[in-house]
Amino acid sequence: QALNPSAVEVAAVEVFGERNPLVREDLTNTLVSVTAEQIEALPVDQIRDVISLQAGIVEDNDGALHIRGGRSNEIAYQVNGISINNPFGNTQAVGLATNAVEEVSVSAGTFSAEYGNALSGVINFVTKDGGPDYHGSFRSWSGDNVSSRDDIFFHVGTVAPFNHSRMEWTFSGPIPFLGKNVTFFTSGVREHDDGHLFGMRVYNREEILFIDGDNFIIDPLGASGARFRADGDREIVPMVTSDDLNLTAKLAWKPSNKLKLSYDLILDDGERFPREAGGINTFRRFRFNPDGRPQRLTNAMSHSVGVTHAISSKTFYTLKVGANFTKSRTFVFEDPFDPRYVASFENEITNNLIPPTDYLAGGTDLIRSREETRSILAKLDVVSQVLPSHEVKLGGEFVHHRLVLEDYELLFDEQQGRFIVPYPELNPNFTDYQYYAREPVQAAVYILDKMELSRQFILNVGLRYEFLDTKALYNPNLAGTVDTGVQNPEFLRTASPKHRLSPRVSLSFPITSE
């Protein structure tokens, strides 16, 4: 006989718990996590500002982070567990907007065998997933830097409401016709900043370039009687500007409770006139000749595909495959043979400095540089709770880089009346031209046993093996051959692969109120 359904009202049951406990008893090193809700509540719009609020972390004047007094290139940056470090300088390769981050965790101090390529800290960003329903957001603001100290910061007292503006949006939800198990998340940030440093176009970049028939005559001190003409239009020009665009996208598919597949895409583009380039204070040098200063274009892209699979109730693995691309270029004009290039300071032809200052009256910056990287990455982590008191974690990673660097200063050819790129084959005595392309390989494997010896004692014991093959040539006797030409092939040798075995042991003894 079928039973009739009926409703029974019971008193509400409240469950209290700490989402982020003050002391985590299962950790043997410092780990701080900041969630999306906390980021939303903070009065910041840059993810580095969120991180710099944590204890032991500072942000310098250039926006670089330092953990516990370490250098900015001693930090390992990860997105969803896969590295986004730029092999040039070991800095963060691609930016990430705050509205795309679900959680950012900072691990400082000693590291377990799971981590490598870091000395002071590991920062891991977890990106947001889409949900079963559609959600979107849009936010925008603008403002300006205002001060009464025009005697220190020229033109800063003039208010421009759109001097610094930012727009950001998100949109997420399920993929139509594929069910609620397939979701997407997208976000975008567009930011423009004219900065607080201004110059004035007193001189044009062609100020000291005269044409006499078919010949170019450089006349920096006005020997012809013209001197510095100061023919600029006196327009006030922002000197340290930036335009940034950041886009993220994520697809996630959960065919079952034990399996998840995801794809992450991050795009980060920037156009800026930096305050310094090549070690030169370009703001000061070109303050009255702003059209001659260099610009820097940056492009970065990160792809990653991840699989998380629970084999059993005690064991699961995570497999990540990714590719990172970066490109940075610094120049005044994209074409090195652009006829608008004009000789400027510290050139063998001329010196355009206004004595006794280091301001330039005309001319353009002649230094050009290019950096390109491509990194193919793969990472596998397996975690198993083999015993109630033993959690074993093992895995490995492989990275194949390609690095391209080109750096030189344009030379003026008096016979041709134009600038040339100082390729070594054109000028063997010119050694300032730098170019190289390398494809180093890195790999590592590790094993880690996390033992809960008792309620009070947590012991991590691990072993990590690391491999590096630079695939490059080097001079083993640089000091003895520097006077005879260090670039001679007979002095070069092939670098041998490097191996390192690192035992990692850490112990935690939490002190709680219990």
Side-chain angles (χ1 to χ4, degrees), residues 117-364:
N117 200 33
L119 291 176
S120 61
V122 178
I123 298 177
N124 182 50
F125 304 99
V126 178
T127 56
K128 293 180 179 179
D129 284 353
D133 301 314
Y134 293 103
H135 291 280
S137 66
F138 177 82
R139 184 168 59 181
S140 177
W141 60 259
S142 66
D144 194 9
N145 303 287
V146 180
S147 173
S148 60
R149 299 304 301 272
D150 284 62
D151 55 330
I152 298 177
F153 299 104
F154 169 68
H155 194 64
V156 75
T158 302
V159 179
F162 298 100
N163 182 294
H164 189 181
S165 60
R166 178 185 175 97
M167 295 184 296
E168 57 182 63
W169 55 267
T170 63
F171 185 60
S172 62
I175 300 288
F177 311 112
L178 295 181
K180 293 190 176 183
N181 289 333
V182 183
T183 61
F184 71 92
F185 176 88
T186 61
S187 74
V189 173
R190 174 73 167 82
E191 186 167 1
H192 171 81
D193 187 8
D194 279 339
H196 68 285
L197 300 176
F198 294 84
M200 180 182 291
R201 190 179 290 110
V202 177
Y203 304 96
N204 296 317
R205 55 175 172 259
E206 303 87 359
E207 195 71 28
I208 47 82
L209 181 62
F210 301 89
I211 300 178
D212 181 17
D214 295 330
N215 299 319
F216 283 74
I217 300 175
I218 305 299
D219 189 14
L221 297 180
S224 64
R227 202 160 177 77
F228 298 118
R229 297 192 302 267
D231 288 341
D233 57 11
R234 303 305 197 271
E235 181 180 349
I236 296 175
V237 179
M239 296 294 292
V240 185
T241 64
S242 63
D243 281 285
D244 295 290
L245 175 65
N246 185 278
L247 301 174
T248 66
K250 185 172 187 177
L251 294 175
W253 178 35
K254 297 180 180 178
S256 68
N257 293 330
K258 295 183 177 181
L259 180 63
K260 178 183 177 181
L261 295 88
S262 62
Y263 165 71
D264 279 274
L265 171 64
I266 305 173
L267 299 175
D268 192 12
D269 286 347
E271 299 180 10
R272 62 193 65 231
F273 285 94
R275 183 170 184 168
E276 292 187 3
I280 297 175
N281 188 323
T282 58
F283 159 68
R284 182 171 178 83
R285 295 279 168 85
F286 294 94
R287 183 174 179 180
F288 300 111
N289 173 32
D291 297 331
R293 71 195 195 280
Q295 62 178 321
R296 180 175 297 154
L297 306 181
T298 58
N299 311 94
M301 179 186 302
S302 176
H303 302 267
S304 65
V305 177
V307 178
T308 302
H309 183 205
I311 302 175
S312 67
S313 60
K314 296 182 179 181
T315 305
F316 73 93
Y317 70 87
T318 302
L319 175 64
K320 299 279 186 178
V321 179
N324 300 331
F325 303 88
T326 70
K327 187 175 183 180
S328 175
R329 297 170 292 160
T330 302
F331 50 70
V332 179
F333 305 111
E334 187 168 6
D335 183 2
F337 304 107
D338 195 302
R340 292 173 291 178
Y341 269 113
V342 181
S344 60
F345 122 98
E346 287 189 349
N347 184 276
E348 61 183 10
I349 304 298
T350 184
N351 187 340
N352 305 351
L353 297 180
I354 304 175
T357 73
D358 56 357
Y359 297 130
L360 290 179
T364 56

Side-chain angles (χ1 to χ4, degrees), residues 431 475-488 491:
T431 59
N475 186 346
N477 188 23
L478 181 62
T481 59
V482 67
D483 294 331
T484 57
V486 297
Q487 296 181 344
N488 292 349
F491 297 141

Side-chain angles (χ1 to χ4, degrees), residues 52-157:
S52 65
L53 292 174
Q54 311 310 311
I57 305 175
V58 296
E59 180 182 353
D60 63 22
N61 292 335
D62 295 327
L65 296 174
H66 301 264
I67 299 179
R68 292 188 174 181
R71 300 189 180 189
S72 58
N73 61 355
E74 296 177 350
I75 303 173
Y77 291 92
Q78 299 179 344
V79 172
N80 299 321
I82 195 166
S83 174
I84 56 168
N85 278 48
N86 187 330
F88 277 119
N90 200 40
T91 57
Q92 185 177 347
V94 58
L96 201 62
T98 54
N99 60 4
V101 176
E102 180 64 33
E103 182 180 273
V104 54
S105 62
V106 182
S107 180
T110 57
F111 311 114
S112 68
E114 178 184 359
Y115 299 109
N117 200 33
L119 291 176
S120 61
V122 178
I123 298 177
N124 182 50
F125 304 99
V126 178
T127 56
K128 293 180 179 179
D129 284 353
D133 301 314
Y134 293 103
H135 291 280
S137 66
F138 177 82
R139 184 168 59 181
S140 177
W141 60 259
S142 66
D144 194 9
N145 303 287
V146 180
S147 173
S148 60
R149 299 304 301 272
D150 284 62
D151 55 330
I152 298 177
F153 299 104
F154 169 68
H155 194 64
V156 75

